[in-house]
Amino acid sequence: YRPIVDWTGSETTTLTLTEKPASGGNALILIYQGQVLENDNHFTISNNIITLTFSPSDSTAIFAWLIRG
């Protein structure tokens, strides 16, 4: 196991993945507070940078799974 997201807290709406997902980001699953986030609705992705369309709450986590590109 190794983390694939570098995230420092709720003030940040960008996340840096340690790997680039395949299929232009379609091979990426993000989960926030038990909800699966949808690409282009809840976030956008460019290379290995995720930009959220919302500000995460304090003391929460975003889980990510991906297939490397």
Side-chain angles (χ1 to χ4, degrees):
Y1 168 79
R2 64 184 179 154
I4 61 166
V5 174
D6 178 17
W7 181 51
T8 57
S10 66
E11 296 299 316
T12 303
T13 59
T14 58
L15 312 171
T16 302
L17 297 170
T18 58
E19 306 280 348
K20 180 181 174 184
S23 299
N26 291 322
L28 174 68
I29 298 171
L30 294 179
I31 297 179
Y32 174 71
Q33 294 188 329
Q35 301 293 319
V36 175
L37 303 181
E38 297 176 3
N39 191 355
D40 294 329
N41 188 18
H42 300 110
F43 68 93
T44 58
I45 186 160
S46 178
N47 292 315
N48 68 326
I49 306 295
I50 297 170
T51 302
L52 301 172
T53 59
F54 64 94
S55 294
S57 300
D58 288 334
S59 302
T60 58
I62 294 176
F63 298 94
W65 290 269
L66 65 80
I67 297 172
R68 287 182 280 179

